[in-house]
Amino acid sequence: MSVPLTTDPADRARSAAARESWAEAYALLHAHDRHPSRGLTADDLSVLADAAWWSGHVDESVAARLRAHAAFLAADDHRGAGLAAWRLYDEYSGLGRPAAAAGWLHRARHHLEDLPDCPERCLLEMTAAEEASARGDHRSALAATRRMTALALAHDSPDLLALSRQAGSRALLAAGRRTEGLALLDDAMRAVAAGELSGPVTGRLYCLALTRCGEAADFARAVAWTNAAMEWCAPPWTGRPRARGTGTDRGTGTNTATGTAQPETPRHAPDPGPLPMTVPSGENPFRGVLRAHRVEVLDLLGAWALAEAEARQACREVPVDRLESAAAAYYAAGDVQRRQGRLEAAAVSYGHAHELGRIPQPGLALLRLAQGRADAAVAGVELALACRNDPDHDLLGRARLLAARTEVALAVRDLPGAARAAADLDALAGAGGADVPLLRASADTALGSVAHAERRPGALPALRRALAGWLELRVPYEAARVRMLLAAACRAAGDEERARPELGAARAVFERLGAVPDARRAAALLAGGSRRRLPGGLTAREAEVLRLVASGGTNEDIARTLAISEHTVARHLNHVYARLGVGSRASATAYAYAHGLI
């Protein structure tokens, strides 16, 4: 089909935007706008705002959108002004300016609510559904998504229909209707996979779908859609044509995006900290956001070196209006570094995540436990659990906190606290009547570890279920940790023959992953009673005292067991505190737990 040639820059820019060639559209409109004898229409300013965002110029996008709103208002075009106002609400929300965002949302409602039904009102219904879900009003959220779906169907808009399906999915998942919610999400993503949607809506839906998968702990969908998302935004990204079908000549594109560059070679140098985050012109700005989601998947799959490299790359690619994705990438890198025994690097990564607005829990609590700071570990995980605003909505987030609470409580010999956390995790895994494989494996791990600590016979069955679950999910690190617990339970039952193969398999996985502390612990347990170098420079007698302290013994109990005076016990204990850099029995117990002394 022939395309008429034009020399007018604005016409060429509109043509480029229709092809989603955003860098070209931005260059043409930016140059046209600077010419003193030319002017841009309200629609052209909207295109300039879209092109500026896609080209990595977020400030210019906001400025152009403000001018577009004023131009629509001057022309008494409330429909155009309403869409511009909603887009400003969306952009200011991303930039962390809630007051400005609220003002523009109010303005959008003022422009659109009195108009006859139009496609732009779908965006108001989507926002209403999000607000209702956030305050726990699931009935109102679902009603808003039904109104949104009706509008999308009436105006024959694939973009808006897919967005309404996603909004309905979120409302259903928040209401605990998991099966229905995931089915509706699959319906929205079918249109994405078929290439039926505009680029802006495609990027937005990939981001939202991966967020929903994370919250719902649906690991299989997360893996599949992460791979598809990274393929969609792989460089060189040229704005491949897609069916627009928005039901309006102004479109409903939204501001969020991804892309893919080859990961750099993993480095263990100190992290330079939060970097200037700019998206090179012509590249897909959704790439950094989607790469941050990919990091979490790679972490679970055990591709730690790649996960850390991808986290660094994501932090360089994330647009400035999506800093929460950079925070997630830093947090995931901290988890990798902590499990590899690189505690200082992990502390730095968690610090960067906190700078960017994320509470770095439970990773930071587990880091404090590894450092022997038991009191800080307990306080951190307890505070994180208490401060969760919507514990039932983000299933995976709450599950990770409860698993960490179990581990920390066991480390400080708080068996009742560990049992409560494991029971809560078990209930969470079965919420809604259908077990979630990732949550079930986590719950069985916690239940088995508590049963083993309490010397109850239910430890082995629970741990075997947990191991089967992690192996089926192909999550190697957690499977190896369960093997360590199984070995301990087998030894406690006097079954050395079954304990050693579990330890050997765990050690092999830890060594492959680079989980140095766990690998050393597995090697030490395999060595059995042979002499080995003790951590922290402890002498054999000091280690013996520490083990008895960790088992709950008082100075009097220890003196009686070792046939020494209480004064000698106190002297040994002071030496232990000094060598390990701790100041309490609880912290010393946590150190012993973290370093395989008990």
Side-chain angles (χ1 to χ4, degrees), residues 331 335 338 358-366 369 376-392 394-410 417-418 420-426 428 439 442-443 446 478:
Y331 178 83
D335 275 353
R338 170 178 56 79
R358 175 168 180 150
I359 298 175
Q361 295 292 3
L364 185 58
L366 296 174
L369 186 62
V378 172
V381 75
E382 290 281 13
L383 183 61
L385 278 167
C387 290
R388 291 192 64 81
N389 294 325
D390 191 6
D392 295 328
D394 182 1
L395 296 178
L396 183 58
R398 182 163 177 79
R400 283 173 167 163
L401 284 171
L402 289 170
R405 177 67 183 95
T406 305
E407 184 174 346
V408 170
L410 288 173
R420 286 193 299 271
D424 288 345
L425 183 49
D426 184 40
L428 188 68
L439 301 187
S442 183
E478 297 298 339

Side-chain angles (χ1 to χ4, degrees), residues 503-521:
L503 288 172
R507 179 184 180 183
V509 171
F510 291 143
E511 289 177 344
R512 176 173 60 80
L513 295 175
V516 175
D518 291 296
R520 287 176 177 166
R521 184 180 176 204

Side-chain angles (χ1 to χ4, degrees), residues 488-551:
C490 288
R491 278 186 168 171
D495 192 347
E496 181 68 22
E497 185 176 349
R498 289 191 179 183
R500 295 189 68 79
E502 299 292 358
L503 288 172
R507 179 184 180 183
V509 171
F510 291 143
E511 289 177 344
R512 176 173 60 80
L513 295 175
V516 175
D518 291 296
R520 287 176 177 166
R521 184 180 176 204
L525 290 172
L526 274 169
S530 61
R531 296 182 61 83
R532 61 186 176 95
R533 185 176 180 180
L534 295 166
L538 295 173
T539 66
R541 177 60 92 180
E542 288 165 354
E544 199 170 11
V545 169
L546 178 55
R547 290 189 187 97
L548 291 169
V549 166
S551 67

